Amino acid sequence: MSGTPNFRGQRAVVLHRPSETTERLARQLTLLGLTVAVRWRPLDHATEADIVLVDADEGWTGLLPWRERDNKPVPLVALLASEAPGRVAWALDQGADALLAKPVTPSAVYPALVMATRRHDEACAAAAVLGELRERLRLRPLVFGAVEGLRAEQGWTEEEAYRHLRGEAMRHRLTLEQCAAALLAAGQGRRA
């Protein structure tokens, strides 16, 4: 993240019982340019908000629409006054990206939003890389099959066949796995 984040025009949903805390928080979020909705019922869809702030002291499973913390589509800030390990664990299990201590002080809101947004963006980027790596690992047998096919057809060593496959992938601007799949689809006896 470079530069100073701007939250102007974004939507925040605060899942918390109406209180002085929510009034103070909503006021500060509004000053930062966010549209704020405060409520104490489950969030129906993550698309309702660009960032969610949730009361971790009284939150329950089902308050948030995502089932797995790794699949949450928006940054999450946990509002917490308690030191109870169970409440901290609940916030972590929901995928909290930042913590905002209660009672909320206005000067703590912006740093919590910045931290939550950045951690969420980093987690999304890491999940995308991990997904790509898992897919490549899943397709690795195709690479092996293509290399073996080239070895059998051309009489090459494994290294020569792999080098050829890699060269073809680069020439056609494909991943190694895509090139191997194309080679195998064309028949193992054909060159890439």
Side-chain angles (χ1 to χ4, degrees):
M1 176 183 288
S2 61
T4 305
N6 184 341
F7 297 101
R8 199 161 296 288
Q10 292 191 21
R11 299 163 299 150
V13 172
V14 179
L15 299 174
H16 195 289
R17 292 183 195 280
S19 67
E20 186 179 316
T21 294
T22 56
E23 290 172 17
R24 188 178 303 123
L25 181 56
R27 189 170 39 252
Q28 190 63 26
L29 292 170
T30 302
L31 288 173
L32 292 171
L34 290 104
T35 302
V36 183
V38 177
R39 65 185 210 209
W40 188 234
R41 67 179 193 283
L43 188 65
D44 298 325
H45 304 286
T47 57
E48 293 180 58
D50 297 304
I51 191 160
V52 175
L53 298 97
V54 63
D55 182 3
D57 290 319
E58 294 188 37
W60 69 90
T61 302
L63 184 59
L64 300 164
W66 47 86
R67 297 204 190 287
E68 298 174 16
R69 67 176 174 209
D70 296 333
N71 291 332
K72 69 182 174 43
V74 296
L76 179 66
V77 177
L79 304 167
L80 189 65
S82 173
E83 294 179 11
R87 294 288 78 204
V88 174
W90 182 87
L92 291 172
D93 289 345
Q94 302 311 303
D97 296 300
L99 177 73
L100 189 54
K102 295 189 292 185
V104 173
T105 58
S107 63
V109 174
Y110 180 75
L113 295 180
V114 171
M115 181 176 284
T117 301
R118 182 164 184 170
R119 285 189 40 96
H120 182 262
D121 290 348
E122 289 170 352
C124 288
V129 168
L130 184 59
E132 183 180 316
L133 290 173
R134 283 184 175 146
E135 181 64 10
R136 291 186 75 180
L137 183 60
R138 186 183 72 76
L139 296 175
R140 212 61 187 163
L142 294 177
V143 174
F144 179 76
V147 167
E148 288 302 304
L150 288 169
R151 283 182 65 192
E153 179 188 281
Q154 302 298 326
W156 290 337
T157 66
E158 185 176 338
E159 185 178 321
E160 290 169 329
Y162 184 80
R163 189 179 315 121
H164 174 77
L165 181 62
R166 188 177 62 219
E168 288 296 303
M170 291 170 64
R171 188 167 67 85
H172 293 288
R173 297 178 187 231
L174 298 170
T175 66
L176 198 59
E177 293 78 13
Q178 290 169 328
C179 188
L183 176 78
L184 293 172
Q188 283 190 347
R190 295 184 189 169
R191 294 183 70 185

